[in-house]
Amino acid sequence: MIVEHYDIIGDIHGYADKLHDLLKKMGYRKTEGVFGHPSRKVIFVGDFIDRGPQQKDVLNTAMSMVNNHKALAVMGNHEFNALAYHTEHDGQFLRPHTSANYDQHRAFLNEFPDDSEDKSAVLDFFYNLPLWLELDGLRAIHACWDDKHISVLRALCPSIRLDKELLIEASTKGTQAYQSIEVLLKGFEYGLPEGIGFYDKGGKQRTAARLQWWKKDASKLGEVVLPDGLNIGAAASLPVPKDTPVYGSDEPPCFIGHYWLDGEPAPLANNVACLDYSVAKQGKLVAYRWDGEQVLDKSKFTYTRTLNI
């Protein structure tokens, strides 16, 4: 079997300079305007957009690489949200145009005015992004690999790509599609006991915590809540919820983004790696250089850093 060599890149969020620096650091060069490598391909784990100042440059780079077979990509929750924000159904946008939703999407809207051809091309690109990838020896998904929800969506869309009908269903609370997209693209969440909450890195108050589904041996809720060290009081001694996804030790390596990690990149488990290290919050844009190994290696992470100037 011929092993493909992939460089899996985390959430970019509109930071094209960091993306270009990272690609060059890994030996990618532009030919006829498209970044490529003689023996490797990129896998993007989603969240190309929002927050950063170079939305168009990021998308031009990523779209040209995907369209010219230099890269693969999966959908992130920000691409899903963008499709919902720009899609009307029964006279209402699927993602309401509230001030909070506008603020989250402002960087994209600033560069892609309504009814522009560029915006239509980008939204078409988002529709064509698969929800996950299963390749020889590895998997990629934006937030959480959960076999139950993957089976649901595989039945609803065998292409594992959204169309408008499924986007509507996935934007409607209470449907199977909604529940599955929430877990796969946003992470598995657990509602905290009444009176316990926290503010996330975006300043939003949360009453549910994402759980670290890659921690196979944890038994208590306090061991798996995110962020690490979150004070949830007496609830920390509760058992890990029974419906928390479990990713087996014999499963292929799974690469994710989404979780705004800090510190020095390292595997979360022998076969799980997160590549989102908060580039939009003066963090790092991270890649993992995969060459077929089934046990992930800390030395194979590489990154460029965002400086707070």
Side-chain angles (χ1 to χ4, degrees), residues 197-262:
F198 65 99
Y199 289 92
D200 66 18
K201 287 189 178 181
K204 184 174 181 179
Q205 189 171 19
R206 301 282 186 179
T207 56
R210 293 183 180 131
L211 302 190
Q212 301 177 61
W213 51 272
W214 50 86
K215 283 194 170 180
K216 303 173 182 64
D217 300 323
S219 60
K220 303 297 184 185
L221 184 62
E223 299 175 73
V224 295
V225 291
L226 279 170
D228 273 326
L230 181 66
N231 182 5
I232 58 172
S237 62
L238 294 173
V240 172
K242 290 182 179 179
D243 55 346
T244 304
V246 175
Y247 197 72
S249 300
D250 57 347
E251 301 285 357
C254 184
F255 295 93
I256 58 175
H258 191 61
Y259 291 99
W260 296 45
L261 300 184
D262 297 310

Short mmCIF file of all heavy atoms in Angstrom, two decimals, residues 197-262:
data_model
loop_
_atom_site.label_atom_id
_atom_site.label_comp_id
_atom_site.label_asym_id
_atom_site.label_seq_id
_atom_site.Cartn_x
_atom_site.Cartn_y
_atom_site.Cartn_z
N GLY A 197 -21.82 28.19 35.66
CA GLY A 197 -21.57 28.67 34.31
C GLY A 197 -20.18 29.27 34.22
O GLY A 197 -19.45 29.36 35.21
N PHE A 198 -19.82 29.70 33.03
CA PHE A 198 -18.50 30.29 32.81
C PHE A 198 -18.55 31.10 31.52
O PHE A 198 -19.50 31.00 30.74
CB PHE A 198 -17.41 29.21 32.74
CG PHE A 198 -17.54 28.28 31.55
CD1 PHE A 198 -16.78 28.47 30.41
CD2 PHE A 198 -18.44 27.22 31.59
CE1 PHE A 198 -16.92 27.62 29.32
CE2 PHE A 198 -18.57 26.36 30.51
CZ PHE A 198 -17.81 26.56 29.37
N TYR A 199 -17.49 31.91 31.30
CA TYR A 199 -17.36 32.68 30.07
C TYR A 199 -16.30 32.03 29.20
O TYR A 199 -15.20 31.70 29.68
CB TYR A 199 -16.97 34.13 30.38
CG TYR A 199 -18.09 34.92 31.01
CD1 TYR A 199 -18.23 35.00 32.39
CD2 TYR A 199 -19.03 35.58 30.22
CE1 TYR A 199 -19.27 35.70 32.98
CE2 TYR A 199 -20.07 36.30 30.79
CZ TYR A 199 -20.19 36.36 32.17
OH TYR A 199 -21.22 37.07 32.73
N ASP A 200 -16.62 31.83 27.92
CA ASP A 200 -15.64 31.24 27.01
C ASP A 200 -14.67 32.30 26.53
O ASP A 200 -14.75 33.48 26.92
CB ASP A 200 -16.33 30.51 25.85
CG ASP A 200 -17.09 31.45 24.92
OD1 ASP A 200 -16.85 32.69 24.92
OD2 ASP A 200 -17.93 30.94 24.15
N LYS A 201 -13.72 31.90 25.67
CA LYS A 201 -12.69 32.84 25.21
C LYS A 201 -13.25 33.97 24.37
O LYS A 201 -12.62 35.01 24.21
CB LYS A 201 -11.61 32.10 24.43
CG LYS A 201 -10.69 31.25 25.30
CD LYS A 201 -9.53 30.71 24.49
CE LYS A 201 -8.58 29.91 25.35
NZ LYS A 201 -7.43 29.40 24.59
N GLY A 202 -14.44 33.77 23.82
CA GLY A 202 -15.08 34.83 23.06
C GLY A 202 -15.91 35.75 23.93
O GLY A 202 -16.56 36.67 23.41
N GLY A 203 -15.91 35.53 25.26
CA GLY A 203 -16.66 36.37 26.17
C GLY A 203 -18.12 36.00 26.31
O GLY A 203 -18.90 36.72 26.93
N LYS A 204 -18.52 34.85 25.75
CA LYS A 204 -19.91 34.42 25.82
C LYS A 204 -20.13 33.56 27.05
O LYS A 204 -19.34 32.66 27.35
CB LYS A 204 -20.28 33.63 24.56
CG LYS A 204 -21.75 33.23 24.49
CD LYS A 204 -22.08 32.57 23.16
CE LYS A 204 -23.55 32.19 23.08
NZ LYS A 204 -23.89 31.57 21.79
N GLN A 205 -21.22 33.84 27.78
CA GLN A 205 -21.52 33.05 28.97
C GLN A 205 -22.06 31.69 28.56
O GLN A 205 -22.92 31.58 27.68
CB GLN A 205 -22.53 33.77 29.85
CG GLN A 205 -22.72 33.09 31.20
CD GLN A 205 -23.54 33.91 32.15
OE1 GLN A 205 -24.27 34.80 31.73
NE2 GLN A 205 -23.46 33.63 33.44
N ARG A 206 -21.55 30.63 29.20
CA ARG A 206 -21.93 29.26 28.87
C ARG A 206 -22.48 28.56 30.10
O ARG A 206 -21.96 28.70 31.21
CB ARG A 206 -20.71 28.47 28.37
CG ARG A 206 -20.03 29.06 27.13
CD ARG A 206 -20.79 28.75 25.89
NE ARG A 206 -20.06 29.19 24.69
CZ ARG A 206 -20.51 29.00 23.46
NH1 ARG A 206 -21.66 28.37 23.25
NH2 ARG A 206 -19.82 29.45 22.42
N THR A 207 -23.53 27.78 29.89
CA THR A 207 -24.06 26.95 30.96
C THR A 207 -23.93 25.46 30.62
O THR A 207 -24.42 24.61 31.34
CB THR A 207 -25.54 27.27 31.22
OG1 THR A 207 -26.27 27.11 29.99
CG2 THR A 207 -25.70 28.71 31.72
N ALA A 208 -23.26 25.17 29.50
CA ALA A 208 -22.93 23.80 29.12
C ALA A 208 -21.45 23.76 28.78
O ALA A 208 -20.90 24.72 28.22
CB ALA A 208 -23.77 23.35 27.92
N ALA A 209 -20.80 22.68 29.12
CA ALA A 209 -19.36 22.54 28.87
C ALA A 209 -19.13 21.47 27.82
O ALA A 209 -19.80 20.44 27.80
CB ALA A 209 -18.63 22.15 30.16
N ARG A 210 -18.17 21.74 26.95
CA ARG A 210 -17.74 20.70 26.01
C ARG A 210 -16.91 19.67 26.77
O ARG A 210 -16.18 20.01 27.70
CB ARG A 210 -16.91 21.32 24.89
CG ARG A 210 -17.74 22.22 23.98
CD ARG A 210 -16.93 22.78 22.84
NE ARG A 210 -17.77 23.62 22.00
CZ ARG A 210 -17.46 24.84 21.60
NH1 ARG A 210 -16.30 25.36 21.93
NH2 ARG A 210 -18.28 25.54 20.85
N LEU A 211 -17.04 18.44 26.35
CA LEU A 211 -16.35 17.35 27.03
C LEU A 211 -15.25 16.76 26.14
O LEU A 211 -15.39 16.70 24.92
CB LEU A 211 -17.33 16.24 27.42
CG LEU A 211 -18.50 16.65 28.32
CD1 LEU A 211 -19.22 15.40 28.82
CD2 LEU A 211 -18.06 17.52 29.48
N GLN A 212 -14.19 16.34 26.79
CA GLN A 212 -13.03 15.78 26.09
C GLN A 212 -13.30 14.30 25.79
O GLN A 212 -12.93 13.41 26.55
CB GLN A 212 -11.78 15.95 26.95
CG GLN A 212 -11.49 17.42 27.27
CD GLN A 212 -10.30 17.60 28.16
OE1 GLN A 212 -9.18 17.22 27.82
NE2 GLN A 212 -10.52 18.17 29.34
N TRP A 213 -13.91 14.06 24.64
CA TRP A 213 -14.33 12.71 24.25
C TRP A 213 -13.13 11.80 23.97
O TRP A 213 -13.29 10.58 23.89
CB TRP A 213 -15.24 12.79 23.01
CG TRP A 213 -14.65 13.61 21.89
CD1 TRP A 213 -14.79 14.97 21.72
CD2 TRP A 213 -13.83 13.16 20.82
NE1 TRP A 213 -14.10 15.38 20.61
CE2 TRP A 213 -13.50 14.29 20.03
CE3 TRP A 213 -13.33 11.91 20.45
CZ2 TRP A 213 -12.70 14.20 18.90
CZ3 TRP A 213 -12.54 11.81 19.31
CH2 TRP A 213 -12.24 12.95 18.55
N TRP A 214 -11.95 12.37 23.85
CA TRP A 214 -10.76 11.56 23.57
C TRP A 214 -10.13 10.98 24.85
O TRP A 214 -9.21 10.20 24.78
CB TRP A 214 -9.72 12.41 22.84
CG TRP A 214 -9.47 13.73 23.52
CD1 TRP A 214 -8.60 13.99 24.54
CD2 TRP A 214 -10.11 14.98 23.23
NE1 TRP A 214 -8.66 15.30 24.92
CE2 TRP A 214 -9.58 15.95 24.11
CE3 TRP A 214 -11.08 15.37 22.30
CZ2 TRP A 214 -9.98 17.27 24.10
CZ3 TRP A 214 -11.49 16.70 22.29
CH2 TRP A 214 -10.95 17.63 23.18
N LYS A 215 -10.63 11.38 26.02
CA LYS A 215 -10.09 10.85 27.28
C LYS A 215 -10.79 9.53 27.61
O LYS A 215 -11.88 9.51 28.17
CB LYS A 215 -10.29 11.87 28.41
CG LYS A 215 -9.29 13.02 28.36
CD LYS A 215 -9.30 13.79 29.67
CE LYS A 215 -8.14 14.78 29.73
NZ LYS A 215 -8.13 15.54 30.99
N LYS A 216 -10.13 8.46 27.27
CA LYS A 216 -10.76 7.14 27.34
C LYS A 216 -10.90 6.61 28.77
O LYS A 216 -11.80 5.82 29.06
CB LYS A 216 -9.96 6.14 26.51
CG LYS A 216 -9.78 6.55 25.05
CD LYS A 216 -8.83 5.62 24.34
CE LYS A 216 -8.60 6.01 22.89
NZ LYS A 216 -7.94 7.32 22.74
N ASP A 217 -10.00 6.99 29.65
CA ASP A 217 -9.96 6.40 30.99
C ASP A 217 -10.55 7.29 32.08
O ASP A 217 -10.49 6.94 33.26
CB ASP A 217 -8.51 6.04 31.36
CG ASP A 217 -7.91 5.05 30.39
OD1 ASP A 217 -8.65 4.16 29.93
OD2 ASP A 217 -6.71 5.17 30.06
N ALA A 218 -11.11 8.43 31.70
CA ALA A 218 -11.67 9.33 32.71
C ALA A 218 -12.95 8.74 33.29
O ALA A 218 -13.73 8.08 32.58
CB ALA A 218 -11.94 10.70 32.10
N SER A 219 -13.20 9.02 34.57
CA SER A 219 -14.43 8.52 35.21
C SER A 219 -15.29 9.65 35.78
O SER A 219 -16.48 9.46 35.99
CB SER A 219 -14.07 7.53 36.32
OG SER A 219 -13.26 8.16 37.31
N LYS A 220 -14.69 10.83 36.03
CA LYS A 220 -15.41 11.93 36.66
C LYS A 220 -15.57 13.10 35.69
O LYS A 220 -14.69 13.37 34.87
CB LYS A 220 -14.67 12.41 37.91
CG LYS A 220 -14.44 11.33 38.96
CD LYS A 220 -15.74 10.79 39.52
CE LYS A 220 -15.48 9.77 40.64
NZ LYS A 220 -16.74 9.16 41.11
N LEU A 221 -16.68 13.81 35.84
CA LEU A 221 -16.97 14.93 34.97
C LEU A 221 -15.86 15.98 35.01
O LEU A 221 -15.49 16.55 33.98
CB LEU A 221 -18.31 15.55 35.36
CG LEU A 221 -18.82 16.70 34.48
CD1 LEU A 221 -19.06 16.23 33.05
CD2 LEU A 221 -20.12 17.28 35.07
N GLY A 222 -15.31 16.23 36.18
CA GLY A 222 -14.26 17.24 36.30
C GLY A 222 -13.02 16.93 35.50
O GLY A 222 -12.24 17.83 35.19
N GLU A 223 -12.82 15.66 35.14
CA GLU A 223 -11.64 15.26 34.36
C GLU A 223 -11.81 15.54 32.88
O GLU A 223 -10.81 15.56 32.15
CB GLU A 223 -11.38 13.77 34.55
CG GLU A 223 -11.08 13.33 35.97
CD GLU A 223 -10.97 11.82 36.05
OE1 GLU A 223 -9.95 11.28 35.58
OE2 GLU A 223 -11.89 11.18 36.59
N VAL A 224 -13.04 15.75 32.42
CA VAL A 224 -13.27 15.84 30.97
C VAL A 224 -13.84 17.17 30.51
O VAL A 224 -13.96 17.40 29.30
CB VAL A 224 -14.17 14.69 30.48
CG1 VAL A 224 -13.48 13.34 30.68
CG2 VAL A 224 -15.54 14.70 31.16
N VAL A 225 -14.22 18.06 31.42
CA VAL A 225 -14.78 19.34 30.98
C VAL A 225 -13.69 20.20 30.33
O VAL A 225 -12.51 20.10 30.67
CB VAL A 225 -15.45 20.12 32.12
CG1 VAL A 225 -16.71 19.43 32.58
CG2 VAL A 225 -14.48 20.35 33.27
N LEU A 226 -14.11 21.02 29.40
CA LEU A 226 -13.24 22.01 28.78
C LEU A 226 -13.75 23.40 29.11
O LEU A 226 -14.97 23.62 29.12
CB LEU A 226 -13.23 21.82 27.26
CG LEU A 226 -12.32 20.73 26.70
CD1 LEU A 226 -12.63 20.50 25.22
CD2 LEU A 226 -10.86 21.11 26.89
N PRO A 227 -12.84 24.35 29.35
CA PRO A 227 -11.39 24.18 29.33
C PRO A 227 -10.88 23.40 30.54
O PRO A 227 -11.56 23.30 31.56
CB PRO A 227 -10.87 25.63 29.36
CG PRO A 227 -11.95 26.40 30.04
CD PRO A 227 -13.24 25.75 29.64
N ASP A 228 -9.67 22.84 30.40
CA ASP A 228 -9.05 22.12 31.51
C ASP A 228 -9.02 23.00 32.75
O ASP A 228 -8.70 24.19 32.67
CB ASP A 228 -7.61 21.72 31.14
CG ASP A 228 -7.55 20.39 30.41
OD1 ASP A 228 -8.37 19.51 30.71
OD2 ASP A 228 -6.68 20.24 29.55
N GLY A 229 -9.34 22.42 33.89
CA GLY A 229 -9.30 23.18 35.14
C GLY A 229 -10.54 24.00 35.41
O GLY A 229 -10.59 24.73 36.40
N LEU A 230 -11.56 23.89 34.54
CA LEU A 230 -12.80 24.63 34.75
C LEU A 230 -13.41 24.27 36.11
O LEU A 230 -13.57 23.10 36.45
CB LEU A 230 -13.78 24.31 33.63
CG LEU A 230 -15.14 25.02 33.67
CD1 LEU A 230 -14.96 26.52 33.46
CD2 LEU A 230 -16.07 24.43 32.62
N ASN A 231 -13.74 25.29 36.89
CA ASN A 231 -14.31 25.08 38.22
C ASN A 231 -15.81 24.85 38.09
O ASN A 231 -16.58 25.77 37.82
CB ASN A 231 -14.03 26.29 39.11
CG ASN A 231 -14.57 26.10 40.52
OD1 ASN A 231 -15.07 25.03 40.88
ND2 ASN A 231 -14.48 27.15 41.33
N ILE A 232 -16.23 23.61 38.29
CA ILE A 232 -17.67 23.30 38.25
C ILE A 232 -18.15 22.80 39.61
O ILE A 232 -19.18 22.13 39.70
CB ILE A 232 -17.98 22.28 37.13
CG1 ILE A 232 -17.19 20.98 37.31
CG2 ILE A 232 -17.72 22.88 35.77
CD1 ILE A 232 -17.63 19.88 36.36
N GLY A 233 -17.41 23.14 40.66
CA GLY A 233 -17.84 22.85 42.01
C GLY A 233 -18.04 21.37 42.26
O GLY A 233 -17.30 20.52 41.78
N ALA A 234 -19.12 21.07 43.01
CA ALA A 234 -19.39 19.68 43.39
C ALA A 234 -19.69 18.81 42.18
O ALA A 234 -19.55 17.58 42.24
CB ALA A 234 -20.55 19.63 44.38
N ALA A 235 -20.08 19.43 41.06
CA ALA A 235 -20.39 18.66 39.85
C ALA A 235 -19.16 17.93 39.31
O ALA A 235 -19.28 16.98 38.55
CB ALA A 235 -20.96 19.57 38.77
N ALA A 236 -17.96 18.36 39.72
CA ALA A 236 -16.74 17.71 39.24
C ALA A 236 -16.69 16.24 39.61
O ALA A 236 -16.04 15.44 38.92
CB ALA A 236 -15.51 18.43 39.79
N SER A 237 -17.37 15.87 40.68
CA SER A 237 -17.33 14.47 41.13
C SER A 237 -18.41 13.61 40.48
O SER A 237 -18.46 12.39 40.72
CB SER A 237 -17.46 14.40 42.64
OG SER A 237 -18.71 14.92 43.06
N LEU A 238 -19.27 14.21 39.66
CA LEU A 238 -20.27 13.42 38.95
C LEU A 238 -19.59 12.48 37.96
O LEU A 238 -18.50 12.77 37.46
CB LEU A 238 -21.23 14.34 38.20
CG LEU A 238 -22.14 15.24 39.04
CD1 LEU A 238 -22.91 16.20 38.13
CD2 LEU A 238 -23.11 14.39 39.85
N PRO A 239 -20.22 11.35 37.64
CA PRO A 239 -19.61 10.46 36.64
C PRO A 239 -19.65 11.08 35.25
O PRO A 239 -20.50 11.94 34.96
CB PRO A 239 -20.48 9.21 36.72
CG PRO A 239 -21.78 9.67 37.29
CD PRO A 239 -21.45 10.81 38.22
N VAL A 240 -18.73 10.67 34.39
CA VAL A 240 -18.77 11.09 32.98
C VAL A 240 -20.10 10.63 32.39
O VAL A 240 -20.50 9.47 32.58
CB VAL A 240 -17.59 10.47 32.21
CG1 VAL A 240 -17.72 10.74 30.72
CG2 VAL A 240 -16.27 11.01 32.73
N PRO A 241 -20.83 11.51 31.71
CA PRO A 241 -22.13 11.11 31.14
C PRO A 241 -22.01 9.88 30.25
O PRO A 241 -21.07 9.74 29.48
CB PRO A 241 -22.54 12.35 30.33
CG PRO A 241 -21.84 13.49 30.98
CD PRO A 241 -20.53 12.93 31.46
N LYS A 242 -23.00 8.98 30.38
CA LYS A 242 -22.93 7.70 29.68
C LYS A 242 -22.96 7.85 28.16
O LYS A 242 -22.46 6.98 27.44
CB LYS A 242 -24.09 6.81 30.13
CG LYS A 242 -23.96 6.31 31.56
CD LYS A 242 -25.10 5.39 31.94
CE LYS A 242 -24.95 4.88 33.36
NZ LYS A 242 -26.08 3.99 33.76
N ASP A 243 -23.55 8.95 27.66
CA ASP A 243 -23.64 9.10 26.21
C ASP A 243 -22.46 9.86 25.61
O ASP A 243 -22.46 10.19 24.43
CB ASP A 243 -24.95 9.79 25.81
CG ASP A 243 -25.15 11.13 26.49
OD1 ASP A 243 -24.43 11.42 27.47
OD2 ASP A 243 -26.03 11.90 26.05
N THR A 244 -21.43 10.14 26.42
CA THR A 244 -20.22 10.78 25.88
C THR A 244 -19.59 9.86 24.84
O THR A 244 -19.39 8.67 25.09
CB THR A 244 -19.21 11.05 27.00
OG1 THR A 244 -19.83 11.84 28.02
CG2 THR A 244 -17.99 11.79 26.45
N PRO A 245 -19.27 10.37 23.64
CA PRO A 245 -18.63 9.53 22.63
C PRO A 245 -17.31 8.95 23.15
O PRO A 245 -16.62 9.58 23.94
CB PRO A 245 -18.37 10.50 21.47
CG PRO A 245 -19.32 11.62 21.68
CD PRO A 245 -19.50 11.74 23.16
N VAL A 246 -17.00 7.75 22.70
CA VAL A 246 -15.74 7.09 23.06
C VAL A 246 -14.99 6.77 21.78
O VAL A 246 -15.56 6.19 20.85
CB VAL A 246 -16.00 5.80 23.87
CG1 VAL A 246 -14.68 5.07 24.12
CG2 VAL A 246 -16.70 6.12 25.18
N TYR A 247 -13.73 7.19 21.72
CA TYR A 247 -12.91 6.90 20.54
C TYR A 247 -11.90 5.83 20.92
O TYR A 247 -10.99 6.08 21.71
CB TYR A 247 -12.21 8.18 20.05
CG TYR A 247 -11.69 8.05 18.63
CD1 TYR A 247 -12.58 8.04 17.56
CD2 TYR A 247 -10.33 7.92 18.37
CE1 TYR A 247 -12.13 7.91 16.26
CE2 TYR A 247 -9.88 7.79 17.07
CZ TYR A 247 -10.78 7.79 16.02
OH TYR A 247 -10.32 7.65 14.72
N GLY A 248 -12.07 4.64 20.37
CA GLY A 248 -11.30 3.49 20.77
C GLY A 248 -9.82 3.60 20.45
O GLY A 248 -9.41 4.26 19.48
N SER A 249 -9.01 2.93 21.23
CA SER A 249 -7.56 2.97 21.05
C SER A 249 -7.11 2.36 19.74
O SER A 249 -6.02 2.66 19.25
CB SER A 249 -6.88 2.23 22.21
OG SER A 249 -7.20 2.83 23.44
N ASP A 250 -7.94 1.49 19.16
CA ASP A 250 -7.57 0.83 17.91
C ASP A 250 -8.11 1.55 16.68
O ASP A 250 -7.95 1.08 15.55
CB ASP A 250 -8.06 -0.62 17.91
CG ASP A 250 -9.57 -0.73 18.13
OD1 ASP A 250 -10.19 0.28 18.52
OD2 ASP A 250 -10.11 -1.83 17.90
N GLU A 251 -8.74 2.71 16.88
CA GLU A 251 -9.26 3.49 15.75
C GLU A 251 -8.12 4.25 15.07
O GLU A 251 -7.09 4.56 15.69
CB GLU A 251 -10.32 4.48 16.23
CG GLU A 251 -11.52 3.86 16.92
CD GLU A 251 -12.47 3.19 15.95
OE1 GLU A 251 -12.25 3.25 14.73
OE2 GLU A 251 -13.44 2.57 16.43
N PRO A 252 -8.28 4.58 13.77
CA PRO A 252 -7.24 5.34 13.07
C PRO A 252 -7.04 6.72 13.71
O PRO A 252 -7.96 7.25 14.36
CB PRO A 252 -7.79 5.49 11.65
CG PRO A 252 -8.86 4.47 11.53
CD PRO A 252 -9.42 4.27 12.90
N PRO A 253 -5.87 7.32 13.54
CA PRO A 253 -5.67 8.68 14.04
C PRO A 253 -6.76 9.62 13.53
O PRO A 253 -7.13 9.57 12.34
CB PRO A 253 -4.30 9.06 13.48
CG PRO A 253 -3.59 7.77 13.31
CD PRO A 253 -4.65 6.79 12.91
N CYS A 254 -7.26 10.45 14.43
CA CYS A 254 -8.31 11.40 14.09
C CYS A 254 -7.80 12.81 14.38
O CYS A 254 -7.33 13.11 15.48
CB CYS A 254 -9.56 11.13 14.93
SG CYS A 254 -10.96 12.18 14.50
N PHE A 255 -7.90 13.68 13.37
CA PHE A 255 -7.43 15.06 13.47
C PHE A 255 -8.62 16.00 13.52
O PHE A 255 -9.54 15.91 12.70
CB PHE A 255 -6.51 15.40 12.30
CG PHE A 255 -5.24 14.58 12.29
CD1 PHE A 255 -5.17 13.39 11.57
CD2 PHE A 255 -4.14 14.99 13.02
CE1 PHE A 255 -4.02 12.63 11.57
CE2 PHE A 255 -2.98 14.23 13.03
CZ PHE A 255 -2.91 13.05 12.31
N ILE A 256 -8.58 16.92 14.48
CA ILE A 256 -9.69 17.84 14.72
C ILE A 256 -9.15 19.27 14.87
O ILE A 256 -7.95 19.49 14.96
CB ILE A 256 -10.48 17.44 15.98
CG1 ILE A 256 -9.56 17.41 17.22
CG2 ILE A 256 -11.17 16.10 15.78
CD1 ILE A 256 -10.28 17.14 18.54
N GLY A 257 -10.07 20.22 14.92
CA GLY A 257 -9.75 21.61 15.24
C GLY A 257 -10.62 22.05 16.40
O GLY A 257 -10.83 21.33 17.35
N HIS A 258 -11.10 23.31 16.34
CA HIS A 258 -12.24 23.79 17.10
C HIS A 258 -12.03 24.21 18.55
O HIS A 258 -12.75 25.08 19.03
CB HIS A 258 -13.35 22.72 17.07
CG HIS A 258 -14.66 23.20 17.60
ND1 HIS A 258 -15.36 24.25 17.02
CD2 HIS A 258 -15.43 22.78 18.65
CE1 HIS A 258 -16.48 24.45 17.69
NE2 HIS A 258 -16.54 23.58 18.68
N TYR A 259 -11.05 23.68 19.28
CA TYR A 259 -11.09 23.77 20.73
C TYR A 259 -10.24 24.87 21.35
O TYR A 259 -10.10 24.91 22.57
CB TYR A 259 -10.74 22.40 21.34
CG TYR A 259 -11.83 21.37 21.10
CD1 TYR A 259 -11.71 20.44 20.07
CD2 TYR A 259 -12.97 21.36 21.88
CE1 TYR A 259 -12.73 19.51 19.84
CE2 TYR A 259 -13.98 20.44 21.66
CZ TYR A 259 -13.85 19.52 20.63
OH TYR A 259 -14.85 18.62 20.39
N TRP A 260 -9.63 25.76 20.56
CA TRP A 260 -8.95 26.95 21.10
C TRP A 260 -7.92 26.58 22.16
O TRP A 260 -7.88 27.17 23.24
CB TRP A 260 -9.97 27.91 21.73
CG TRP A 260 -10.98 28.52 20.83
CD1 TRP A 260 -11.70 27.91 19.86
CD2 TRP A 260 -11.39 29.90 20.81
NE1 TRP A 260 -12.55 28.79 19.26
CE2 TRP A 260 -12.38 30.02 19.81
CE3 TRP A 260 -11.02 31.01 21.55
CZ2 TRP A 260 -13.00 31.23 19.53
CZ3 TRP A 260 -11.65 32.21 21.27
CH2 TRP A 260 -12.61 32.33 20.28
N LEU A 261 -7.08 25.61 21.87
CA LEU A 261 -6.10 25.18 22.86
C LEU A 261 -4.98 26.21 23.02
O LEU A 261 -4.79 27.09 22.20
CB LEU A 261 -5.52 23.82 22.47
CG LEU A 261 -6.53 22.67 22.34
CD1 LEU A 261 -5.81 21.36 22.05
CD2 LEU A 261 -7.42 22.54 23.58
N ASP A 262 -4.21 26.04 24.10
CA ASP A 262 -3.06 26.88 24.39
C ASP A 262 -1.83 25.99 24.56
O ASP A 262 -1.94 24.76 24.63
CB ASP A 262 -3.27 27.68 25.69
CG ASP A 262 -4.44 28.64 25.59
OD1 ASP A 262 -4.50 29.41 24.62
OD2 ASP A 262 -5.29 28.61 26.50
#
